[in-house]
Amino acid sequence: MYGWNGLFLRVDLSKSKAHANKYGAEMAEAFLGGRGFAAKILWDELKPGIDPLGPKNKLVFATGPLTGFALPSSSKLVVAAKSPLTGSYGDGNLGTFAAVQIRKAGYDALIVEGKSKKPIVLLVQDKQIEFLDAKDLWGLDSFETESMLRRVYGSTAGVLSIGQAGENLVKFANIVCQEGRAGGRPGMGAVMGSKNLKAVVVIGSGDLSAAYPKELKELGADAYREILTKPPYAFWKQQGTMMTIEWSQENSVLPTYNYREGVFDKADAIGGFAMAKAKVSQRGCPNCNMICGNVVKDSFGKEAEVDYENVAMLGSNIGLGQLRRVAALNRVADEFGLDTISLGNVLGFAMEASEKGLIEEKVSWGKLRATKSLIEDIAYRRGLGDMLAEGVRFSAEKIGGGSSRWAMHVKGLEISGYDCHAAPAMALAFATSSIGAHHKDAWVISWEMKVGRNSYSEEKVDKVIELQRIRGGVFEALTVCRFPWIELGFELEWYTKFLHAATGLEITWKDLNVIADRIYALIRCFWVREFGKNWTRQMDVPPARWFEEPLTKGALKGSKLDKAKYDVMLSRYYCQRGWDERGIPTKTTLRKLGLENVAKRLRKRVKLYD
Ligand code: PTT
Ligand code: SF4
């Protein structure tokens, strides 16, 4: 095989053993890599019902066939496991030297199983695997951990680590690298912590083999040049994702006060232009010429990388309207290794619960120091923080009082930074995303604003599926950053050319869409297998707040979603995907996608239809 290394590294932490595991072209061509490999491995190897924080869970770090080549924005990996937050398939995407180093070490994925008896660092240097004592690192934050490891292993080693939140099994702890890349929203950091795995360090010395190396090199050089010519490039370099704050405010979709509103009166103070003035440097992922991590000095004088989601969730959503203060919370979240999106949700939830008298603690909107201290309590699971560390779904069940109606999650994963009172397609995208409410699979909202936000048309459903194929399917399987395409209009045709030069295969976008559908269906089957008879179409419905409580401010005052029309959209969505009225892939669909064995195994849990 070209492009792929054809090897996974399996590491058993319980036995301190590792071995390389060959896989064949069939797996590579059917699932590509990244999310595709992770979904296939987890479906095949996890028994339904296992404890996500127990030794039977597996943590997969998977790359794709383009990872590590000199191609634009190609150095990301997918980290996946059964999620402790949602109870089903979970993953995240990280731009990291680790992605490049895994490939140079000769592997396409690391599969980490079991549980170490004591805290360790997993060190992978080509074929040499070591389990290093991490007692001096346990208890440190992710920045301190990475800096200590970098002193020993150098600036380009792949280092992925968890902070205290992962150690303390906070259900939305993520994995951090390079002081600001962070991924694994549905608790991938907690899974790492549950295995006593403080960090993974990877160093590779091999070369990647491409089918047509000369063509690939030339294509890569052309592509980097092409990116520089794209008109939005200059503004992107100034603001990156932060430009979305102003856009969201203009369109009344900026999550504000726990998604009660879509406009925030201090939006300008936390927006892209405010950030550009305060910016001190920029960071990014390896092999990228669009670097987009904007760094500002926070109100305690520390450097913090700010992105749209972080600022929306730790700014407007909790009523904090000063960029340096928001950056301070962002920095603390990075240090502890807490997902900023879920964190902004649980904080907003606690503030609303306090306002409504549903909890005894006084938690006020928009306060820096008190919020910072509550974040510490979450990371260390102290007092109210212990409940919030379980996420909003659990917290709402615990405190009751109707709070489930404004606990802003789908399937247990907190919603990312877009209010959908008046955005039905985006609501559908959140509700049908493969890991719970994440915008990564289908960020349909910008298109929706252009075609008319009030309609619940079939066209909107089809657009959600189209984007889920490209983004949630192809980009996540290739583990290549989607920003060149979305933000600059870098054409999708480049990727089939890259694939041809790397793997030698003639893969069209039509083929890629089939692979995307296979991956999406397999992940859906994973969910259904976990939930069995408890699986219902209600799992694909966004929170009640968007249907019941209209916006009270801004140009869209009075707007809310229509439940009956949403249901029609959902039925159309199922129909287009070849899923039944419960949202379960039919036998015929699974057969068409080459997933007959999946159908056989799923039949033990639920009745399947044709
Ligand atoms: C992603 C989610 C996002 S999406 C953001 S900001 W974004 C948050 N970032 C966090 C952070 O920072 N610190 C922290 N402690 N928690 C954070 N949680 C949030 O995590 C990221 C970029 C971004 S910035 C986005 S949209 C794109 N995401 C991609 C993706 O998902 N797939 C893909 N093929 N390409 C992508 N390109 C872009 O990458 P999750 P990163 Mg992240 C400080 O992980 O779990 O997927 O959630 O990966 O390397 O930091 O790059 O406005
Ligand atoms: Fe990373 Fe940003 Fe480059 Fe994407 S555009 S690879 S997120 S630096």
Side-chain angles (χ1 to χ4, degrees):
M1 274 194 302
Y2 289 106
W4 293 276
N5 286 314
L7 277 187
F8 296 146
L9 179 69
R10 282 186 183 271
V11 181
D12 185 339
L13 297 180
S14 302
K15 297 185 182 142
S16 301
K17 287 205 164 135
H19 70 277
N21 177 187
K22 275 194 190 153
Y23 70 90
E26 207 179 312
M27 168 86 167
E29 288 171 31
F31 293 97
L32 279 183
R35 177 179 263 185
F37 282 177
K40 172 78 172 131
I41 292 164
L42 296 175
W43 168 269
D44 284 348
E45 300 183 19
L46 296 190
K47 283 213 174 101
I50 58 141
D51 175 4
L53 296 177
K56 289 189 178 144
N57 200 1
K58 300 191 182 190
L59 190 62
V60 181
F61 299 91
T63 65
L66 304 180
T67 314
F69 285 116
L71 298 171
S73 317
S74 62
S75 301
K76 286 185 169 259
L77 58 74
V78 164
V79 55
K82 178 171 174 182
S83 158
L85 185 63
T86 68
S88 186
Y89 176 87
D91 70 19
N93 190 300
L94 281 143
T96 165
F97 284 113
V100 182
Q101 298 290 2
I102 286 173
R103 297 265 290 161
K104 284 169 68 177
Y107 311 106
D108 296 320
L110 309 184
I111 305 169
V112 182
E113 334 182 337
K115 175 180 178 173
S116 168
K117 285 192 189 71
K118 54 180 190 172
I120 57 141
V121 170
L122 173 66
L123 173 63
V124 177
Q125 295 188 86
D126 296 328
K127 287 186 184 146
Q128 195 186 327
I129 317 301
E130 288 176 69
F131 302 84
L132 308 176
D133 195 329
K135 71 172 179 310
D136 294 341
L137 298 177
W138 202 256
L140 298 186
D141 71 38
S142 71
F143 286 55
E144 294 163 336
T145 304
E146 182 162 341
S147 130
M148 283 184 64
L149 290 168
R150 285 219 176 277
R151 255 178 258 152
V152 182
Y153 299 106
S155 59
T156 57
V159 179
L160 301 169
S161 71
I162 55 169
Q164 298 91 334
E167 294 176 8
N168 296 325
L169 311 182
V170 175
K171 297 272 171 77
F172 48 90
N174 60 10
I175 298 172
V176 184
C177 62
Q178 292 158 220
E179 303 191 336
R181 314 279 92 201
R185 290 199 52 213
M188 298 301 104
V191 175
M192 212 162 139
S194 75
K195 298 190 174 303
N196 273 329
L197 180 58
K198 179 69 179 169
V200 178
V201 179
V202 194
I203 301 166
S205 62
D207 290 320
L208 292 172
S209 73
Y212 304 107
K214 189 166 165 280
E215 187 187 330
L216 190 67
K217 201 173 162 197
E218 284 167 10
L219 265 174
D222 288 349
Y224 279 113
R225 270 194 298 273
E226 174 75 12
I227 282 178
L228 299 179
T229 68
K230 297 287 180 196
Y233 183 82
F235 192 58
W236 172 260
K237 280 303 288 284
Q238 283 166 27
Q239 294 209 1
T241 60
M242 283 295 292
M243 62 174 139
T244 315
I245 294 280
E246 279 89 350
W247 179 87
S248 289
Q249 171 82 350
E250 277 161 27
N251 288 287
S252 295
V253 297
L254 184 65
T256 303
Y257 296 112
N258 196 28
Y259 296 83
R260 278 184 199 158
E261 307 294 345
V263 287
F264 181 48
D265 51 8
K266 298 185 185 129
D268 284 348
I270 59 167
F273 289 99
M275 183 285 300
K277 269 194 217 145
K279 181 153 96 176
V280 293
S281 68
Q282 240 170 347
R283 297 185 190 133
C285 312
N287 285 349
C288 181
N289 65 346
M290 283 175 66
I291 51 166
C292 67
N294 290 304
V295 181
V296 299
K297 279 263 163 70
D298 74 15
S299 37
F300 301 107
K302 286 184 174 178
E303 289 194 348
E305 185 181 320
V306 288
D307 287 298
Y308 169 75
E309 296 290 331
N310 306 341
V311 174
M313 299 312 302
L314 297 173
S316 52
N317 199 51
I318 62 167
L320 189 59
Q322 219 259 24
L323 187 69
R324 281 156 60 89
R325 292 184 189 168
V326 177
L329 299 185
N330 195 154
R331 164 85 193 204
V332 175
D334 288 348
E335 288 171 349
F336 285 137
L338 284 164
D339 172 54
T340 50
I341 298 175
S342 289
L343 181 63
N345 264 278
V346 296
L347 293 170
F349 177 86
M351 288 164 187
E352 184 160 353
S354 169
E355 189 181 78
K356 291 191 156 107
L358 291 173
I359 53 175
E360 282 169 14
E361 294 81 355
K362 176 99 185 106
V363 190
S364 305
W365 300 102
K367 296 273 183 282
L368 172 63
R369 283 175 196 279
T371 308
K372 183 166 174 277
S373 138
L374 180 55
I375 294 174
E376 278 166 22
D377 289 347
I378 293 172
Y380 288 103
R381 284 183 166 275
R382 294 185 296 232
L384 174 64
D386 190 32
M387 177 186 85
L388 298 176
E390 297 286 309
V392 293
R393 178 172 65 181
F394 175 90
S395 300
E397 281 161 12
K398 183 106 198 257
I399 67 170
S403 57
S404 290
R405 310 201 83 68
W406 39 267
M408 302 306 286
H409 72 92
V410 177
K411 302 184 187 73
L413 183 68
E414 288 77 13
I415 289 175
S416 32
Y418 301 93
D419 183 80
C420 293
H421 276 90
M426 192 63 217
L428 180 72
F430 276 137
T432 57
S433 155
S434 51
I435 58 169
H438 202 315
H439 61 290
K440 74 192 301 165
D441 288 351
W443 189 66
V444 71
I445 196 160
S446 70
W447 174 88
E448 181 168 38
M449 296 301 116
K450 289 181 209 141
V451 296
R453 52 201 306 168
N454 293 327
S455 99
Y456 292 69
S457 64
E458 293 186 349
E459 188 196 8
K460 284 195 172 179
V461 176
D462 298 348
K463 191 69 179 182
V464 169
I465 295 175
E466 180 193 324
L467 291 178
Q468 286 176 340
R469 285 185 176 133
I470 301 172
R471 297 167 55 115
V474 182
F475 277 103
E476 291 315 300
L478 293 178
T479 72
V480 166
C481 181
R482 56 175 189 250
F483 279 161
W485 165 59
I486 302 170
E487 303 294 347
L488 306 187
F490 181 70
E491 296 78 6
L492 287 177
E493 290 66 39
W494 284 96
Y495 296 96
T496 41
K497 289 185 200 156
F498 295 156
L499 265 173
H500 176 256
T503 68
L505 301 173
E506 296 283 354
I507 305 178
T508 63
W509 266 95
K510 200 168 163 217
D511 303 326
L512 289 174
N513 283 338
V514 174
I515 297 172
D517 283 353
R518 182 176 301 123
I519 297 168
Y520 232 73
L522 183 59
I523 295 178
R524 175 53 59 129
C525 290
F526 192 103
W527 280 88
V528 176
R529 183 171 74 172
E530 288 297 332
F531 284 81
K533 297 208 163 48
N534 294 327
W535 178 270
T536 69
R537 66 186 274 142
Q538 189 55 34
M539 304 284 279
D540 290 331
V541 176
R545 163 155 283 168
W546 285 341
F547 295 104
E548 295 173 352
E549 295 175 33
L551 294 172
T552 67
K553 288 192 183 141
L556 292 167
K557 189 174 164 182
S559 300
K560 62 182 168 102
L561 292 178
D562 182 311
K563 184 69 177 41
K565 289 183 185 166
Y566 177 84
D567 272 346
V568 174
M569 272 183 122
L570 187 57
S571 292
R572 160 98 184 169
Y573 176 89
Y574 290 159
C575 178
Q576 293 299 92
R577 279 220 168 268
W579 298 358
D580 68 21
E581 270 295 303
R582 300 164 299 170
I584 301 178
T586 63
K587 269 188 276 182
T588 313
T589 301
L590 292 174
R591 209 176 302 125
K592 267 196 214 153
L593 294 170
L595 298 173
E596 295 85 352
N597 287 336
V598 172
K600 271 189 209 144
R601 284 170 67 183
L602 195 61
R603 254 204 309 261
K604 293 187 187 142
R605 311 283 291 174
V606 287
K607 191 165 167 40
L608 287 185
Y609 300 104
D610 263 329

